[in-house]
Amino acid sequence: MFSLFESLSKRLTDSWHLRDTPRRGKSYRCRCGRPVFFRNSLCLGCQAPLGYEPLTEEVRALEPGPAADTWRLHGDAGDGPAYKRCENFDSPAGCNWLVPADDPQTFCLACRLNRTIPSLADADNQRYWRAIEIAKRRLVAQLIALDLPIKSKETEDPEHGLMFDFLRSPPEGPRVLTGHAGGLITLNVEEADDARREKIRHDLREPYRTLLGHFRHEVGHYYWDRLIAGTPWHEPFRALFGDERADYAAALKTNYEMGPPADWRDSFISSYASVHPWEDWAETWAHYMHLTDSLDTALGFGISGNDVETELERFKLEDMYAPNHPDAKRVLSLIHSWLELITVLNELSRSMGQPDFYPFVMSRPVLRKLHFIHLVVKGEPPPA
């Protein structure tokens, strides 16, 4: 199976500036031919039950399986694999993912990562948790597509696994802080309240704040521990991002008291990335995930470079982190295709009186960091 990057590269090469764009990537159809979407569990046209098979990355119509409460994918032969619904299908999370019928786990690959969920006796918590799980499933689907290691710290890999605590601040305090530590990502569930999240975004002068953005940032910290710390990439990381041994608490204090450096845009994707090398990595990691997932979705819905082409200042191969790497030209093509896409999407947002779809500017140092992260994700050794 192609990784997400291999698939994106081939489709960009084959069709970004052609009219016949192959569809894939969050673009699905029911057995009746109607379009269905990543979060759907029922076709509103023909009423067929739907399920998401995470390893094939497909939403498929379902047919009754060989035993009670089991299913087969529509179109599979009679001896195709049987599946069961994730245990969270009938919960407020409304999970539409499938689990192999013979798997002793009752939760899907995404839901089994949960350690703590909010009390569902509270109606607001039910609503918050549903929004959180929708965002988390998109995160996990992308991690699987990128061939990144992802196992439950609770049930599969206690030493290196990942788990989530979704907590709500008690009225009397203290406030739950969103963050990562040792494979545990904690999320304040009130981030799922649009009004509260928007107020925090405004108060902190952030151009962008979403549930999915939180997940992508925090999982970046997790993968720093997995893919950088103590590996051959550690010293190259310090050379590019900075030395993470710098006092983190002091760096945060300086940021909150004095703000970011005036020239942060020259070297960082966001002002928060300028706080500390760990945050620079996590912010850039999140943007790598924004870029690959959005472009994958655009291609899946038949958008091509002929639809969005615009005049942009182009980066050059020598701007890349490793310009002589065999993949460097393909990564540069991916970046340019993304910049074409977001230019048009930003204008569409402005035409509706909305904030920019992507309110960030990519500098050459950021390009080098994105290429660095791409090489790490691909499992490449550091270039000489």
Side-chain angles (χ1 to χ4, degrees):
M1 182 180 71
F2 274 3
S3 71
L4 178 57
F5 171 73
E6 299 294 344
S7 171
L8 274 176
S9 294
K10 185 176 189 308
R11 288 149 63 209
L12 285 169
T13 300
D14 291 348
S15 62
W16 183 245
H17 285 282
L18 299 175
R19 280 292 169 197
D20 185 19
T21 303
R23 291 172 177 264
R24 191 181 180 277
K26 309 302 185 297
S27 174
Y28 315 102
R29 290 193 178 272
C30 179
R31 67 187 182 194
C32 68
R34 289 178 173 86
V36 292
F37 301 96
F38 180 68
R39 64 175 71 178
N40 290 162
S41 57
L42 181 72
C43 174
L44 298 181
C46 70
Q47 303 301 303
L50 305 171
Y52 181 75
E53 213 295 348
L55 300 184
T56 63
E57 305 169 42
E58 293 180 309
V59 174
R60 297 277 295 274
L62 304 178
E63 297 176 347
D69 298 322
T70 66
W71 304 89
R72 282 205 170 103
L73 304 179
H74 174 74
D76 279 4
D79 58 352
Y83 297 90
K84 58 191 175 186
R85 293 279 196 187
C86 174
E87 188 170 326
N88 274 334
F89 175 70
D90 291 318
S91 76
C95 181
N96 67 338
W97 283 30
L98 300 172
V99 182
D102 59 358
D103 191 331
Q105 292 263 16
T106 59
F107 292 106
C108 70
L109 293 174
C111 289
R112 70 184 60 170
L113 301 176
N114 293 348
R115 184 177 77 163
T116 308
I117 64 172
S119 169
L120 299 182
D122 184 291
D124 283 341
N125 284 348
Q126 293 184 29
R127 179 167 55 89
Y128 295 160
W129 187 45
R130 183 176 184 83
I132 286 166
E133 289 296 335
I134 288 171
K136 195 192 78 187
R137 288 195 292 273
R138 185 170 285 271
L139 168 82
V140 175
Q142 187 181 11
L143 296 176
I144 293 170
L146 289 169
D147 291 333
L148 287 165
I150 181 164
K151 290 186 176 181
S152 167
K153 192 175 183 71
E154 282 282 273
T155 61
E156 298 172 308
D157 188 348
E159 184 175 359
H160 300 296
L162 178 66
M163 62 185 177
F164 293 87
D165 279 354
F166 302 133
L167 307 176
R168 188 172 181 182
S169 304
E172 66 279 4
R175 178 173 173 77
V176 171
L177 298 179
T178 295
H180 166 266
L184 170 64
I185 292 176
T186 301
L187 180 73
N188 185 336
V189 301
E190 292 173 350
E191 288 285 346
D193 186 304
D194 294 339
R196 295 188 188 191
R197 189 178 65 253
E198 178 61 18
K199 184 179 187 306
I200 295 171
R201 188 197 68 77
H202 180 269
D203 291 346
L204 296 180
R205 298 187 178 92
E206 296 177 342
Y208 169 92
R209 190 181 183 97
T210 67
L211 286 172
L212 185 55
H214 279 315
F215 279 132
R216 286 174 172 165
H217 176 99
E218 298 304 338
V219 88
H221 288 300
Y222 167 71
Y223 283 110
W224 190 91
D225 289 347
R226 293 292 309 270
L227 305 178
I228 300 296
T231 74
W233 279 106
H234 204 150
E235 287 305 319
F237 166 85
R238 287 173 175 165
L240 184 61
F241 288 83
D243 193 334
E244 82 288 350
R245 291 170 294 189
D247 190 315
Y248 182 74
L252 282 178
K253 184 173 185 290
T254 299
N255 177 71
Y256 290 135
E257 291 179 354
M258 302 180 62
D263 61 350
W264 67 263
R265 291 175 180 83
D266 296 340
S267 302
F268 302 97
I269 193 62
S270 69
S271 61
Y272 192 60
S274 68
V275 169
H276 188 275
W278 278 335
E279 299 304 342
D280 192 10
W281 163 270
E283 284 286 271
T284 312
W285 174 281
H287 283 259
Y288 178 79
M289 298 195 74
H290 295 334
L291 184 157
T292 51
D293 196 32
S294 297
L295 193 55
D296 183 42
T297 301
L299 283 166
F301 281 92
I303 298 174
S304 78
N306 292 315
D307 299 316
V308 302
E309 189 171 10
T310 184
E311 291 297 324
L312 294 170
E313 180 185 356
R314 295 266 166 168
F315 293 121
K316 298 177 181 178
L317 195 60
E318 55 263 34
D319 297 325
M320 304 293 281
Y321 173 72
N324 295 322
H325 192 275
D327 267 353
K329 288 183 179 179
R330 291 198 294 167
V331 178
L332 187 59
S333 174
L334 183 147
I335 298 292
H336 284 153
S337 300
W338 161 249
L339 292 174
E340 289 179 355
L341 178 65
I342 62 170
T343 298
V344 174
L345 292 176
N346 281 346
E347 286 302 319
L348 284 171
S349 292
R350 293 164 192 166
S351 72
M352 290 293 293
Q354 295 290 333
D356 281 359
F357 173 84
Y358 185 77
F360 303 94
V361 175
M362 190 180 297
S363 65
R364 283 172 173 78
V366 169
L367 174 69
R368 287 194 285 275
K369 293 170 187 177
L370 286 167
H371 191 201
F372 180 101
I373 286 175
H374 169 77
L375 295 173
V376 172
V377 169
K378 287 273 292 177
E380 301 280 357

